[in-house]
Amino acid sequence: MANSLSISFANDMQELTHLLQVVNVFLEPRALSSKLVYAVNLILEEILMNIIKYGYDDEDSHEIEVQIGVEEEEVALTVIDDGKEFNPLTIPGLARSKSAMDRLEEGLGLQFVRHMRNAMEYRREEDKNILTIWIFL
Amino acid sequence: MEVVEKKQNGICILGLLGRLDSNTSPEFEKKIFEVIEDGTKSLIVDFESLDYISSAGLRVLLKATKELKRSDGKIVLCSMKEYIKEVFEIAGFVSLFPIVSSVGDAMEEF
């Protein structure tokens, strides 16, 4: 069984659904916990939705690459896109006092990512965002 | 994703099946707002068969509860998987919705 998967897809919400299906077919035979499979799906959806919604100023089709590696002790997710420079590590945490609506407006999805990942690394190379997220098993 | 609607003792129960994500949440939004526009004030959303929710689904629930509160209505959520409840906690949504363990317990909230 291959330990890694690499797929490219266009910046389109329908394509995102298809991508997550492919990811789940890859994860399914590995008998990972439902919580971990959920975390992988949620992190990918929130990160990719953010890129599709806010990453591009033009109407052109752009390729987004997703890599998943499953090792004995961790799952590594890498997302590479040619959108605007965006480093999710610089997003501050939300103040507890904020209302639920403010939390949604201020990127709740990325807060989920922050909460569920164990480590995260960002770099900008050749006009591309390269984000890697690790979830420990 | 599928939404199953039931009425019991004047309370509307929406059962969610499958995945509530950025693609399916517009469909759920349409359904829940239809029910609210029909005059429902007591609404239970049953998560028993829901496997997945993302921020897009939470957004719909927040909009719906704001709308219902205007007419003194209320939404109760029930039968959530532990990992789904966790995102409600991260989002601070546990203070906005009563979250109980079964449809029976949810009925008691009205």
Side-chain angles (χ1 to χ4, degrees):
Chain A
M1 194 159 33
N3 284 332
S4 61
L5 173 75
S6 176
I7 351 167
S8 294
F9 75 111
N11 55 325
D12 173 291
M13 296 300 262
Q14 295 293 332
E15 290 261 331
L16 172 56
T17 301
H18 178 65
L19 170 108
L20 290 173
Q21 283 166 354
V22 174
V23 167
N24 286 322
V25 167
F26 169 75
L27 294 178
E28 211 263 322
R30 287 160 207 282
L32 301 166
S33 70
S34 346
K35 188 182 173 177
L36 183 86
V37 173
Y38 179 62
V40 169
N41 275 261
L42 188 61
I43 287 173
L44 284 178
E45 179 179 336
E46 302 295 353
I47 293 280
L48 296 170
M49 202 169 68
N50 210 56
I51 294 170
I52 294 169
K53 271 184 159 170
Y54 308 111
Y56 305 100
D57 288 327
D58 59 36
E59 301 290 314
D60 299 346
S61 177
H62 294 265
E63 191 174 82
I64 304 171
E65 187 183 339
V66 174
Q67 298 164 357
I68 303 179
V70 180
E71 299 295 338
E72 257 175 51
E73 291 174 349
E74 65 184 29
V75 173
L77 308 171
T78 300
V79 177
I80 304 169
D81 70 270
D82 64 350
K84 283 184 276 191
E85 182 165 358
F86 176 67
N87 180 357
L89 275 76
T90 59
I91 300 285
L94 291 182
R96 277 272 150 216
S97 57
K98 295 266 179 165
S99 73
M101 190 47 104
D102 286 343
R103 283 163 179 267
L104 278 175
E105 296 302 324
E106 291 181 26
L108 179 65
L110 290 176
Q111 302 301 325
F112 290 162
V113 175
R114 177 195 291 267
H115 187 88
M116 295 193 156
R117 55 92 177 119
N118 292 105
M120 184 148 72
E121 180 189 274
Y122 170 84
R123 56 186 205 274
R124 180 86 178 169
E125 265 177 31
E126 294 170 359
D127 293 331
K128 286 186 174 171
N129 296 303
I130 304 173
L131 178 69
T132 304
I133 292 168
W134 289 270
I135 311 165
F136 301 154
L137 303 183
Chain B
M1 213 258 318
E2 205 184 321
V3 186
V4 180
E5 182 183 352
K6 269 193 284 185
K7 281 250 163 68
Q8 209 173 318
N9 304 337
I11 298 169
C12 176
I13 306 165
L14 294 181
L16 303 179
L17 282 83
R19 292 171 70 92
L20 187 52
D21 57 21
S22 47
N23 244 346
T24 56
S25 54
E27 188 189 321
F28 173 52
E29 180 167 356
K30 191 167 163 253
K31 182 70 201 171
I32 199 167
F33 274 86
E34 262 172 33
V35 167
I36 295 169
E37 277 154 27
D38 282 350
T40 297
K41 291 199 173 147
S42 306
L43 185 58
I44 295 172
V45 181
D46 181 3
F47 278 61
E48 170 94 55
S49 302
L50 190 79
D51 301 317
Y52 179 87
I53 189 167
S54 66
S55 64
L58 269 81
R59 198 166 275 126
V60 174
L61 284 170
L62 185 63
K63 275 176 80 176
T65 194
K66 285 181 103 180
E67 182 65 28
L68 259 185
K69 275 181 183 162
R70 270 192 234 159
S71 53
D72 283 329
K74 179 169 153 184
I75 300 182
V76 177
L77 313 178
C78 71
S79 314
M80 235 176 234
K81 292 180 173 63
E82 269 310 307
Y83 60 78
I84 288 186
K85 195 168 178 196
E86 206 177 305
V87 301
F88 277 76
E89 283 161 4
I90 302 167
F93 273 38
V94 283
S95 57
L96 293 176
F97 298 93
I99 302 175
V100 297
S101 56
S102 66
V103 171
D105 287 353
M107 306 283 286
E108 303 283 315
E109 294 281 325
F110 296 100

